[in-house]
Amino acid sequence: MNRKKSRELTMKLLFQMTINKEKSSNIIMSLKENAVGEEKNSAEYNQEEFYGEKISDLKDLDTQYIIRVLKGIEENKNTIDKEIEKYLRKWKLDRLSKVDVAILRICTYEFLYENSIPEKVSINEAIELAKKYSSDKSASFINGVLGNMIREK
C-alpha cells in the first residue's frame, strides 16, 4: 500500500472531476474496474495505464483511501472550500489553478476528516504534489495556506 502514490492518483482524479464536472461515483467505478479487473495478457496488461499509473501497479495503491477521499470531498465540498478560503489572502478559490485547488482540497479534507494522518505529513505531501504538477510558486503558496490553517486551529 503506497499512500504517496495513492494521494497523487487522488489528486489526478479530483482534478478530472473538477475539470469535467464529473461525479465521484463515475471516477470510482472506473478506478475499481481497472484496479480489480480481470487479468489480461501480461504484455498488454503491463502497457496499459490509468491516469499515468500502470494498471498492474494499481494493486499497490490504497484504493479505500482514494475512494474515501473522493467521496468525502464531494460530500463536504462547501465546508472544505470555506475552510480554504479563510486562509487565502488576496485570492479567491476560483482564481487558483485547478491543480492547486485539488491539492488544497485533499489536504484540507485530511485535516478535517482523516485524524489518523498527521497534519505535517499532509502538508509535506501537498508541497511535493505542487512541485511536481503545478507552477514554481505554488509549493510555497500551498505551504503558506496550509501552515496558517493548522496554526490557527
Side-chain angles (χ1 to χ4, degrees), residues 39-116:
E39 294 290 323
K40 300 178 181 179
N41 297 338
S42 59
E44 179 186 334
Y45 190 69
N46 287 327
Q47 298 300 316
E48 290 189 45
E49 290 191 355
F50 181 77
Y51 294 93
E53 301 297 324
K54 286 184 180 176
I55 289 182
S56 58
D57 292 343
L58 289 179
K59 289 181 231 120
D60 297 335
L61 300 179
D62 185 350
T63 54
Q64 295 300 319
Y65 164 84
I66 296 168
I67 292 166
R68 191 172 60 246
V69 172
L70 291 176
K71 282 183 178 178
I73 291 172
E74 184 176 61
E75 292 167 2
N76 300 289
K77 185 173 172 276
N78 291 337
T79 303
I80 292 167
D81 287 355
K82 283 178 187 171
E83 186 67 17
I84 294 168
E85 285 174 340
K86 281 195 248 179
Y87 300 97
L88 294 178
R89 296 199 173 42
K90 301 178 185 176
W91 283 92
K92 296 272 186 216
L93 199 60
D94 61 353
R95 292 196 54 221
L96 299 179
S97 82
K98 301 296 185 222
V99 171
D100 291 353
V101 171
I103 293 168
L104 287 167
R105 282 179 177 157
I106 291 168
C107 197
T108 304
Y109 173 83
E110 289 179 352
F111 288 171
L112 297 174
Y113 304 103
E114 294 281 329
N115 298 327
S116 64

Side-chain angles (χ1 to χ4, degrees), residues 127 130 136-145:
I127 292 167
D136 293 339
K137 295 182 180 182
S138 287
S140 59
F141 175 77
I142 286 172
N143 185 36
V145 171

